[in-house]
Amino acid sequence: MRLGSLWVHLLLIMASLLVAFPLLVAFIFSTQTPAEIFRYPPKFWIGSALWDNYARVWTEFNLGLYMKNSAIVAVAVTVGKTAISFLAALALVYFRMPLKGAVFWFILLTLMMPTEIMIVALFELVSGIGWANSYAALIVPFLASATGTFLFRQQFRQIPRSLVDAALIDGVGPLRFAWSVLLPMSMNTVAAMAVIEFVYMWNQYLWPLVIIREGERQVVQVGLRMLTSGQDATNWGLVMAGAVVALLPALVVFLLLQEQLGRGFALSEEKG
């Protein structure tokens, strides 16, 4: 039994190293000069340009500005999506309305329509109302979420009906019930939504590239692309430094909320 457990741990360690290997290589290259990166045999160790590479991508290539823009957009969309999804699920579960089931299935069908297939129509719409080159163009089109509505709906359906009946007897209104009862019982789902939406918005590339033309409003993923196109000869040490720095906010959010993320997707014992 102990031998089997040892093999399991060895396999897990090897799998972890395999997954982490690209990130480790990126970090090592981010500390090296071009000569050190392309030397033979390669040197997989900290290079001599650690502080210089990170300082240059932060100041010379405006990565700090791009990260600030991405943070504003990601936080705004995360908060807005979570609130709208919460209220939509509240209506679908606790309010009576005609064709409620059909409405829910229509919401789920929107999951089959990625932004990429609507990008031309969305560009014309956003440009037509004068939102190009603004935070509104990066935030408003992403505020609705079928995934979030589905997660909150499933969470609400697991809450005992007796709580709803008790709230009705006490004369508690829908918004008070949502704030005082549903929200505290749904914090794991809220955390799961926060992780999903923050990482999703942090990694946005195509839509910001299309709709934003001013560098002052551009996001970090497009900023990373500028690292390769804004140099006469690509310095891969700078590119890797930018990639490592851009990774950190999403990684921190995931590490802080990973336990709640797992609980948010866990199925209860009553749900088979």
Side-chain angles (χ1 to χ4, degrees), residues 2-80:
R2 292 182 178 178
L3 182 60
S5 177
L6 177 62
W7 280 108
V8 169
H9 282 81
L10 288 176
L11 288 175
L12 291 175
I13 292 173
M14 292 175 61
S16 299
L17 291 176
L18 182 63
V19 172
F21 181 73
L23 180 60
L24 293 175
V25 172
F27 173 73
I28 291 172
F29 283 174
S30 73
T31 67
Q32 297 180 352
T33 63
E36 291 172 334
I37 292 175
F38 293 105
R39 66 174 292 179
Y40 185 83
K43 175 185 176 183
F44 289 103
W45 193 245
I46 305 299
S48 60
L50 173 62
W51 302 115
D52 182 62
N53 284 348
Y54 282 91
R56 287 185 63 191
V57 297
W58 190 263
T59 56
E60 183 179 336
F61 291 92
N62 294 322
L63 194 65
L65 173 63
Y66 300 145
M67 291 184 67
K68 183 197 75 171
N69 293 335
S70 287
I72 292 173
V73 173
V75 171
V77 171
T78 299
V79 173

Side-chain angles (χ1 to χ4, degrees), residues 206-219:
L206 181 58
W207 175 244
L209 180 65
V210 170
I211 199 63
I212 301 297
R213 296 299 182 187
E214 298 177 359
E216 291 77 9
R217 291 287 186 271
Q218 198 53 268
V219 298

Side-chain angles (χ1 to χ4, degrees), residues 116-137:
E116 287 75 11
I117 68 173
M118 302 182 294
I119 197 165
V120 174
L122 189 59
F123 176 82
E124 293 181 354
L125 175 62
V126 171
S127 300
I129 59 179
W131 282 2
N133 295 314
S134 69
Y135 287 132

Side-chain angles (χ1 to χ4, degrees), residues 46-181:
I46 305 299
S48 60
L50 173 62
W51 302 115
D52 182 62
N53 284 348
Y54 282 91
R56 287 185 63 191
V57 297
W58 190 263
T59 56
E60 183 179 336
F61 291 92
N62 294 322
L63 194 65
L65 173 63
Y66 300 145
M67 291 184 67
K68 183 197 75 171
N69 293 335
S70 287
I72 292 173
V73 173
V75 171
V77 171
T78 299
V79 173
K81 259 189 177 180
T82 303
I84 292 174
S85 299
F86 183 89
L87 295 175
L90 176 69
L92 289 172
V93 175
Y94 295 107
F95 285 75
R96 294 180 180 177
M97 64 179 71
L99 301 176
K100 183 165 63 173
V103 171
F104 174 68
W105 284 107
F106 177 77
I107 291 174
L108 288 185
L109 283 175
T110 62
L111 289 173
M112 302 175 64
M113 300 176 60
T115 305
E116 287 75 11
I117 68 173
M118 302 182 294
I119 197 165
V120 174
L122 189 59
F123 176 82
E124 293 181 354
L125 175 62
V126 171
S127 300
I129 59 179
W131 282 2
N133 295 314
S134 69
Y135 287 132
L138 298 174
I139 295 172
V140 175
F142 296 93
L143 289 180
S145 173
T147 302
T149 303
F150 173 77
L151 290 178
F152 280 115
R153 178 181 179 272
Q154 298 305 107
Q155 170 67 22
F156 294 167
R157 287 169 63 90
Q158 298 180 38
I159 294 176
R161 183 68 190 181
S162 58
L163 289 177
V164 182
D165 297 335
L168 291 174
I169 293 173
D170 292 339
V172 176
L175 293 181
R176 177 66 183 276
F177 176 72
W179 179 261
S180 302
V181 179

